Amino acid sequence: MFKLDRRILTHFDYIQPVLILPIISLSFFLIYEASARLAEKQFIYICVGFLVFSLFFLLPLRRFIWLIPVLYWINIALLLSVDLFGVENLGAKRWLAIPFTSFTIQPSELFKPAFILMLAYLIYQNPPPKEGYGLKDFIKLSFFILLPFLLITQEPDLGTASVLLIVGFGALFIIGVNYKIWLSIFLAIALASPLIYTHFLKPYQKQRIHDFLSEKPSHQVAQSIIAIGSGGLSGKVEDEATQTHSKFLPISTSDFIFAYVVERFGFFGALFLVLLYALLIFHLLSLNYKFKEDYFTRVVINCVALFIFIYTAVNISMTVGFAPVVGIPMPFFSYGGSSFTTFMVFFGILQHLITFRFFWTDKN
């Protein structure tokens, strides 16, 4: 464990909780208004999340850095076992039953921290040259990104798989890969898009794209747009938020919670929420300059920033009809324990790397 040191207080990144805590507070307020029963569960999720944050914040991660590949392959084994022993729900196998209990776990959620750490470990072991990674190194890193993408796609969970894919290659783009490789990839994707659509997408995935491209939005999106439009500039009082409280707005506390925000607090409330996320993302990306030579920390920072950006952008776009309806929650905001706990793990790891950086510098 670490000895008590004043530098812990001076190195701690206080901007992160200043931006995250209002998001959590506003979320809990809205969930409580919608359902006191759900609010009780969400309170438990929040407590568990802060407990997990504390655990990963105090975990001497760099001391056990050699265990990261082991953790990665254990999670790959869990993803493989989903196909063999997974619990099926609504046509998808995404969960594993915990023996002798009624609980299940979702390996694709557990995999996200291991994914970030493995990518950070690989880049830390082999930092990019000045001109960026060449083809050989890029293929090696791509293997560790594409393997979980393919396994999660088979569940099927194309949403989560696509997020991992974008985060992984997005982090490589920021860290540095030769530009010729990116040009080749973009050209190959453009040429292969028709083949991917016709031969690899499931019927329900094609239907989501069809609903997105059609002139008339789906019922869920239509109700969401009505809720957003009725909020006006300043929103409505609780009793007048009929789209949410009369159950017209589907999944109002999770997938479509942004529409609930706009109905309740209007354009200004939505702007405040988006501004919090934007400031958090820009703050994280700005840390690249402070940790310019620490590739391990930089990879974690960029992956977390990309996760927040993708989840938030897709969720908001989905509610206004600018993206297909997929089950991607807003970080720290949508109701549920899996996503909340995962992001608390992210920030526990990130705050540890930032706060205790002096400890490892002293050791070296």
Side-chain angles (χ1 to χ4, degrees), residues 68-111:
I68 289 176
V70 177
L71 180 65
Y72 176 89
W73 288 110
I74 288 174
N75 277 273
I76 289 294
L78 289 175
L79 290 176
L80 286 168
S81 64
V82 168
D83 187 50
L84 299 174
F85 313 109
V87 176
E88 187 170 341
N89 186 20
L90 299 178
K93 276 189 178 181
R94 301 176 186 174
W95 302 268
L96 289 174
I98 300 176
F100 311 111
T101 71
S102 59
F103 297 100
T104 59
I105 58 171
Q106 190 171 351
S108 59
E109 283 294 327
L110 296 176
F111 183 78

Side-chain angles (χ1 to χ4, degrees), residues 37 50 110 145 161 166 265 267 310 322 353 362:
R37 182 179 60 84
F50 278 100
L110 296 176
I145 297 171
I166 297 170
F265 297 109
F267 172 79
I310 294 167
F322 287 170
L353 294 172
D362 293 348

Side-chain angles (χ1 to χ4, degrees), residues 3 15 31 35 71 89 105 124 255 266 275 286 308 357:
K3 294 180 180 179
I15 296 178
I31 293 171
S35 170
L71 180 65
N89 186 20
I105 58 171
Y124 168 77
D255 288 358
L275 184 62
S286 71
I308 294 172
R357 62 185 184 274

Side-chain angles (χ1 to χ4, degrees), residues 59-164:
L59 186 69
L61 182 63
R62 290 186 190 263
R63 186 178 297 170
F64 301 104
I65 196 171
W66 57 274
L67 279 173
I68 289 176
V70 177
L71 180 65
Y72 176 89
W73 288 110
I74 288 174
N75 277 273
I76 289 294
L78 289 175
L79 290 176
L80 286 168
S81 64
V82 168
D83 187 50
L84 299 174
F85 313 109
V87 176
E88 187 170 341
N89 186 20
L90 299 178
K93 276 189 178 181
R94 301 176 186 174
W95 302 268
L96 289 174
I98 300 176
F100 311 111
T101 71
S102 59
F103 297 100
T104 59
I105 58 171
Q106 190 171 351
S108 59
E109 283 294 327
L110 296 176
F111 183 78
K112 291 173 185 175
F115 176 77
I116 290 178
L117 291 175
M118 186 61 179
L119 202 57
Y121 172 83
L122 292 169
I123 294 174
Y124 168 77
Q125 295 291 331
N126 180 28
K130 188 176 181 180
E131 66 276 9
Y133 284 118
L135 183 59
K136 182 179 177 182
D137 289 324
F138 179 77
I139 291 174
K140 177 183 175 182
L141 291 166
S142 298
F143 169 79
F144 292 93
I145 297 171
L146 292 172
L147 178 60
F149 168 78
L150 295 173
L151 293 176
I152 296 173
T153 301
Q154 291 301 311
E155 293 184 355
D157 189 357
L158 186 59
T160 299
S162 299
V163 170
L164 285 176

Side-chain angles (χ1 to χ4, degrees), residues 296-335:
F296 191 94
T297 302
R298 280 187 63 194
V299 173
V300 174
I301 288 170
N302 290 313
C303 284
V304 173
L306 286 167
F307 264 115
I308 294 172
F309 172 75
I310 294 167
Y311 270 61
T312 306
V314 171
N315 184 278
I316 293 175
S317 299
M318 178 183 73
T319 61
V320 297
F322 287 170
V325 176
V326 290
I328 291 183
M330 290 189 74
F332 302 113
F333 203 70
S334 295
Y335 167 80

Side-chain angles (χ1 to χ4, degrees), residues 11 28 47 60 80 87 116 131 153 186 189 193-194 202 226-227 244-245 277 284 304 359 363:
H11 285 65
F28 185 78
C47 291
L80 286 168
V87 176
I116 290 178
E131 66 276 9
T153 301
F186 292 144
I189 291 175
S193 293
K202 305 288 184 182
I226 292 171
T244 299
H245 296 295
Y277 280 113
L284 292 177
V304 173
F359 181 85
K363 284 284 185 180

